[in-house]
Amino acid sequence: MLKHVISNIYNRTSAGRIILLVFLVGLLIRCISPDLKLFHHDEAIHAWYTYNLITTGSYLYDPVYHGPLLYYLTGAAFFLFGASDVVARLLPAIFGAAIIPLFWVLHQNGWIKKDQAIFASLFFALSPSMVYFSRFLRHDIFQLFFTVCLLVCLLLYLDKGKWQYAACAAASAACGLCLKEDMPATLLIFASFFVLMLMTGRIRLPKRWLRDLVVGLLVMAGIGTLCYTTFLSHPEMILLAPGKAISHWMGVQGECRICGAPWYYLLLLVVYELPILILAVLGFWHWGIRQAGFSELKSETSRHLQKIKKSHGADHQTNDNKSAFLLTFAIYWALLSLLFYAYVGEKVPWLLIHQLFPLILLASYDLSGKKIILGLLGCAFLLVMTLHVCYTPADINEPIVQTQNSEDLKHVMDLISVSNMSVVTTDAYWPLPWYFRGEGWNKITLLAQKPAPAMILQKDPDLVIMLSTNSYDSGSLPGYQKQVVAYNYSFSLPLVEKDFPAWYFMRDGTKLSTYLDVFSKNRSFSSSF
């Protein structure tokens, strides 16, 4: 009886209303206590550069810190609402949640069915990786938003043939290019697929596609020029920016600063997104093998677009053809993304979200009947994992944190705040410039690593902060008390691989940590140390 009632309610409720509810839940999960944890090293740099931009008006593109659009968007938020952890992290939360309604747009235009739209939005709303990096001031969630906008606009353009969709697709691509240096790889995946579809006659372009292409290129050039030249204040960057981006990318590949095995992202998928990974494989098999999607692909995609009308655009296509086309693209996108990021030498957890999105499209395919239970169990798994990685207020032993600043630093910063002067003798001082921005930085003096104790004593600071690996013993600074404090921490696979199943379920074990030696004069530390 209860099952019948629930089924009735579900069938009579539009996808739009359900996805709206999912959007609100997804937004809430992303926005609750955004400042619960300290800024990551990269977040602090991004926030500080943005603060510097709005206070001095100075900014010049540097590929080490990626594209300029993040700083303009965050700068606008700082200008309107003030510079703080909360404001800095609410912006990525909003952009991350804003992807959810795009599943409804795909459904409304016949590219995905109701069940797929709802489960795709649920998986995205609850995914640990998607939520974690929507509460994280990095370029990637913004980049993913514009990537999905690009996909939606391209599909609408092929379906309706209106130049406005081509312009929106171009704007989305340009914004993505103004965020991260790996966006060209995504554009290459998109372009190669659509060119392949054109060459095989499975899609046809609208009649005025050449005009629309010119409009799109002008839009891209305009957005790119304004962003990379800092709104024309550095016109030389029109020529310099592409070379800087390419040389930095090649340098990073050569350095292999944060190396990892090719299967690094598969490990993250197993740890955090296991239901999505399993359901994506099932969706791949169900559509491609059981429903003979691969064998019928040629005939289905050749009927994807009918002949262009002489008067206006392309004819509408059947939903089944559209669904087959989008699933084909999702498989193509997922496989090439997994291969590309497996090849890229620098392995960092936030790059997973670019590989995860097409897997969500596959995982949500045909979750009807008894398979709904699998989908709901998957959602429960994702929610529990999300609550753990996003809302545990202490340091956590998780690969998703990469190298995260320890919560112990909050106590150190409290000491700095009540001190007249603090000396820092290490170049590993982030996130301090962000948290003591402006006049607060006057309390901090930077010295060369491990200066002579006499130099420290001459300055007579209240606090001395050094890396434990390059520090003094307890008696070198008379009158100072020494305490060892966790600076940052990271996940180390070798420390847990001997008993990986136990770690997977209990999440305990030893973290790989970097420590600070903090010398305080006439001041005690919290007993929590």
Side-chain angles (χ1 to χ4, degrees):
M1 181 66 180
L2 180 60
K3 179 181 177 182
H4 180 70
V5 171
I6 294 174
S7 178
N8 252 351
I9 294 173
Y10 175 79
N11 291 330
R12 295 174 65 177
T13 305
S14 68
R17 290 183 179 181
I18 297 175
I19 293 175
L20 175 60
L21 178 61
V22 174
F23 164 73
L24 294 175
V25 171
L27 182 63
L28 182 65
I29 291 173
R30 286 159 172 78
C31 291
I32 292 176
S33 299
D35 58 345
L36 179 65
K37 296 185 180 183
L38 279 178
F39 267 18
H40 180 278
H41 172 276
D42 291 6
E43 289 184 282
I45 291 177
H46 298 151
W48 186 87
Y49 268 87
T50 303
Y51 176 78
N52 189 59
L53 169 63
I54 65 169
T55 53
T56 68
S58 173
Y59 173 78
L60 184 65
Y61 167 63
D62 184 344
V64 173
Y65 306 112
H66 304 304
L69 187 55
L70 173 73
Y71 305 106
Y72 303 149
L73 293 171
T74 311
F78 282 178
F79 179 78
L80 293 172
F81 306 109
S84 68
D85 288 18
V86 171
V87 173
R89 280 181 170 160
L90 281 179
L91 197 62
I94 292 169
F95 270 79
I99 295 174
I100 296 171
L102 296 178
F103 292 109
W104 175 79
V105 177
L106 290 174
H107 168 65
Q108 279 293 99
N109 290 275
W111 295 95
I112 55 179
K113 296 178 181 178
K114 178 180 177 180
D115 293 337
Q116 187 176 6
I118 291 170
F119 272 104
S121 63
L122 275 170
F123 292 156
F124 186 92
L126 302 177
S127 158
S129 302
M130 294 298 186
V131 176
Y132 191 89
F133 293 112
S134 293
R135 297 167 56 87
F136 198 88
L137 187 61
R138 275 200 64 89
H139 301 68
D140 294 85
I141 197 65
F142 299 90
Q143 180 187 350
L144 182 62
F145 170 79
F146 288 113
T147 299
V148 181
C149 284
L150 170 63
L151 172 62
V152 172
C153 291
L154 284 174
L155 294 176
L156 291 174
Y157 176 67
L158 289 176
D159 197 20
K160 303 179 185 301
K162 295 182 178 180
W163 71 268
Q164 293 92 335
Y165 294 119
C168 287
S172 299
C175 288
L177 289 169
C178 292
L179 283 164
K180 281 284 294 295
E181 291 76 18
D182 58 332
M183 186 65 183
T186 300
L187 294 183
L188 183 60
I189 291 173
F190 276 50
S192 61
F193 179 79
F194 283 93
V195 168
L196 183 61
M197 294 296 100
L198 282 169
M199 290 177 62
T200 55
R202 292 168 185 170
I203 61 173
R204 294 185 60 181
L205 293 175
K207 186 176 182 180
R208 292 190 172 91
W209 69 270
L210 189 56
R211 175 206 63 182
D212 301 339
L213 177 62
V214 172
V215 170
L217 291 175
L218 290 174
V219 169
M220 290 184 69
I223 293 174
T225 298
L226 288 176
C227 284
Y228 280 100
T229 63
T230 318
F231 298 94
L232 304 181
S233 61
H234 296 284
E236 71 279 4
M237 295 306 293
I238 297 176
L239 300 177
L240 296 178
K244 284 177 172 286
I246 293 171
S247 61
H248 171 69
W249 179 265
M250 297 304 294
V252 167
Q253 275 294 93
E255 281 181 24
C256 198
R257 299 179 307 162
I258 312 173
C259 284
W263 43 262
Y264 171 81
Y265 296 108
L266 290 178
L267 170 66
L268 292 182
L269 286 171
V270 170
V271 171
Y272 299 114
E273 315 290 346
L274 186 60
I276 294 175
L277 179 62
I278 292 173
L279 289 172
V281 173
L282 289 177
F284 178 89
W285 173 81
H286 185 73
W287 175 75
I289 307 300
R290 189 175 177 183
Q291 294 185 342
F294 295 133
S295 62
E296 297 177 7
L297 180 60
K298 184 175 181 179
S299 59
E300 288 180 354
T301 52
S302 65
R303 294 192 303 270
H304 174 65
L305 295 176
Q306 297 176 359
K307 293 181 179 180
I308 301 173
K309 291 182 178 180
K310 293 182 179 180
S311 56
H312 56 279
D315 291 335
H316 292 286
Q317 304 305 302
T318 67
N319 290 348
D320 285 344
N321 289 340
K322 289 182 176 182
S323 178
F325 182 86
L326 186 57
L327 283 169
T328 306
F329 176 62
I331 293 169
Y332 184 86
W333 183 7
L335 291 177
L336 288 189
S337 293
L338 288 167
L339 289 173
F340 171 73
Y341 287 106
Y343 164 75
V344 171
E346 190 159 293
K347 299 293 191 293
V348 284
W350 44 81
L351 292 179
L352 179 67
I353 66 175
H354 306 294
Q355 306 161 66
L356 182 59
F357 186 85
L359 292 176
I360 287 175
L361 290 176
L362 289 171
S364 55
Y365 174 69
D366 199 28
L367 285 181
S368 56
K370 294 182 179 179
K371 286 190 291 185
I372 289 178
I373 297 175
L374 288 178
L376 294 176
L377 289 174
C379 289
F381 176 96
L382 297 174
L383 178 60
V384 170
M385 193 65 68
T386 292
L387 294 177
H388 167 62
V389 298
C390 293
Y391 292 104
T392 300
D395 299 352
I396 54 176
N397 192 21
E398 299 287 337
I400 201 170
V401 303
Q402 203 246 350
T403 302
Q404 171 65 24
N405 288 316
S406 171
E407 295 303 297
D408 286 354
L409 276 181
K410 291 179 178 178
H411 303 287
V412 177
M413 291 191 293
D414 287 342
L415 288 174
I416 295 174
S417 297
V418 298
S419 299
N420 293 319
M421 184 178 71
S422 301
V423 166
V424 178
T425 70
T426 170
D427 54 6
Y429 49 74
W430 290 94
L432 296 182
W434 162 248
Y435 285 106
F436 292 93
R437 57 194 177 274
E439 293 183 0
W441 193 246
N442 296 333
K443 290 175 171 284
I444 297 175
T445 299
L446 297 180
L447 295 180
Q449 294 195 30
K450 201 174 182 180
M455 182 182 294
I456 299 285
L457 295 172
Q458 185 180 12
K459 290 186 175 294
D460 193 31
D462 296 313
L463 212 63
V464 181
I465 302 171
M466 313 180 74
L467 271 181
S468 293
T469 54
N470 194 22
S471 181
Y472 307 128
D473 57 38
S474 299
S476 297
L477 294 177
Y480 287 82
Q481 299 176 16
K482 175 182 175 180
Q483 295 286 343
V484 180
V485 180
Y487 169 45
N488 58 36
Y489 62 95
S490 57
F491 174 82
S492 175
L493 183 60
L495 292 178
V496 301
E497 64 184 357
K498 291 181 179 178
D499 198 3
F500 187 82
W503 170 84
Y504 188 89
F505 291 104
M506 302 303 297
R507 288 306 204 265
D508 56 4
T510 305
K511 297 185 293 292
L512 188 64
S513 298
T514 303
Y515 295 94
L516 295 174
D517 284 356
V518 181
F519 298 84
S520 64
K521 184 174 66 173
N522 301 324
R523 196 175 299 280
S524 344
F525 279 81
S526 165
S527 60
S528 65
F529 291 134

